[in-house]
């Protein structure tokens, strides 16, 4: 089981706002990164260092991190946002080094 | 344009070995850490291990379940990283991705991924 806790699935209607959580209780104040993976494709970096977007990622995607829970927010959801979303932290203290959340399947209704 | 291209996947018997390659282009390979991540069919992402740059002593680290069986190396003259997998188990069946790591003082994340190569361990 993953040490980063994500809900297995989130459903949202087109045009609405989706929020995907990532519980990071065991990692203190770690930066959280997010990836989007569509079926049959490699993951793509969506958000890094909690809330920074790589170039090319729409402003509809935003991130936050309270310390215990990181949240990926997708505003004005589109059908093309349907994908799996993974959070990730880097933990240099333990041998785990890199940990991924279990992933959240976003379904656009 | 940054590209990472994995190769070398295939079918292998339990207990066997396989060596994957990751050919990189479009960035300064020698200065970058390379990580390997795998994904079993229908499952989530699992970190395999990493190799740091020459500046950081080519240091390697591995996930606990792979330590002692998997070895990551690199050839900076060829802009290529390798993942040598020995004593393979059926549970090692997965798509293996190589990734370019961007590391700041705070953390590392993966800004580029290869397309992945499928490894199937089966008798």
């Amino acid at each position: 089981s993953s040490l980063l806790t994500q809900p297995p699935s989130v459903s949202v209607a087109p045009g609405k706002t989706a929020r995907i959580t990532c519980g990071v209780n065991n990692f203190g104040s770690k930066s959280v990164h997010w990836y989007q993976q569509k079926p049959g494709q490699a993951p793509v970096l969506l958000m890094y260092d909690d809330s920074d977007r790589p170039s090319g990622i729409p402003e509809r995607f935003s991130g936050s991190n309270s310390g215990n829970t990181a949240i990926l927010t997708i505003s004005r959801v589109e059908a093309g946002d349907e994908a799996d979303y993974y959070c990730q932290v880097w933990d240099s203290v333990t041998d785990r080094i890199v940990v991924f959340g279990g992933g959240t399947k976003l379904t656009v209704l | 344009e940054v590209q990472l291209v994995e190769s070398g996947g295939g079918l292998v018997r339990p207990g066997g070995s396989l060596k994957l390659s990751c050919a990189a282009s479009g960035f300064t390979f020698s200065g970058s850490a390379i990580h390997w991540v795998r994904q079993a069919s229908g499952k989530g992402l699992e970190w395999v291990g990493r190799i740091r740059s020459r500046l950081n002593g080519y240091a390697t680290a591995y996930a606990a379940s792979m330590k002692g069986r998997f070895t990551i190396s690199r050839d900076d003259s060829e802009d290529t990283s390798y993942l040598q997998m020995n004593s393979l188990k059926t549970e090692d069946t997965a798509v293996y991705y190589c990734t370019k790591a961007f590391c700041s003082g705070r953390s590392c994340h993966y800004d580029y991924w290869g397309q992945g190569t499928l490894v199937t361990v089966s008798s």
Side-chain angles (χ1 to χ4, degrees):
Chain A
S1 62
S2 174
L3 297 179
L4 293 180
T5 306
Q6 293 185 242
S9 62
V10 168
S11 298
V12 63
K16 300 299 185 182
T17 297
R19 292 179 180 85
I20 298 174
T21 59
C22 176
V24 293
N25 287 335
N26 296 322
F27 293 95
S29 57
K30 298 291 185 185
S31 293
V32 176
H33 319 295
W34 292 91
Y35 303 89
Q36 178 193 64
Q37 186 180 33
K38 295 184 178 180
Q41 298 183 18
V44 171
L45 179 66
L46 199 61
M47 197 75 54
Y48 64 96
D49 290 348
D50 301 329
S51 58
D52 290 333
R53 274 187 316 273
S55 61
I57 300 300
E59 292 183 4
R60 302 186 296 106
F61 293 88
S62 61
S64 64
N65 186 356
S66 67
N68 290 327
T69 302
I71 302 175
L72 174 70
T73 301
I74 311 172
S75 304
R76 302 180 299 284
V77 167
E78 303 173 357
D81 297 332
E82 189 161 288
D84 294 324
Y85 293 83
Y86 294 92
C87 58
Q88 175 244 316
V89 298
W90 177 65
D91 181 16
S92 62
V93 175
T94 72
D95 287 340
R96 289 190 295 269
I97 306 292
V98 174
V99 180
F100 288 97
T104 298
K105 169 67 176 179
L106 177 69
T107 299
V108 181
L109 301 171
Chain B
E1 180 193 6
V2 172
Q3 281 196 318
L4 296 163
V5 180
E6 302 93 338
S7 60
L11 175 64
V12 62
R13 304 281 192 209
S17 298
L18 205 60
K19 187 173 185 177
L20 307 182
S21 300
C22 170
S25 61
F27 64 100
T28 305
F29 180 82
S30 60
S32 298
I34 297 296
H35 291 224
W36 289 82
V37 175
R38 72 182 185 182
Q39 184 173 37
S41 180
K43 303 296 184 182
L45 302 171
E46 180 182 22
W47 182 71
V48 172
R50 59 96 166 128
I51 185 165
R52 300 181 75 182
S53 66
R54 177 175 180 269
L55 191 65
N56 292 290
Y58 297 127
T60 56
Y62 303 91
S65 62
M66 291 153 235
K67 195 178 296 185
R69 298 190 301 125
F70 289 11
T71 302
I72 298 173
S73 60
R74 63 192 295 160
D75 183 343
D76 289 347
S77 68
E78 297 289 334
D79 288 353
T80 300
S81 176
Y82 303 97
L83 175 62
Q84 175 69 48
M85 304 182 293
N86 299 328
S87 303
L88 282 162
K89 308 174 183 179
T90 55
E91 53 263 41
D92 294 320
T93 295
V95 173
Y96 286 74
Y97 297 100
C98 68
T99 71
K100 172 185 171 294
F102 180 90
C103 297
S104 65
R106 296 178 60 190
S107 185
C108 291
H109 61 268
Y110 305 128
D111 51 359
Y112 294 97
W113 296 64
Q115 85 288 350
T117 187
L118 176 62
V119 173
T120 302
V121 184
S122 175
S123 55

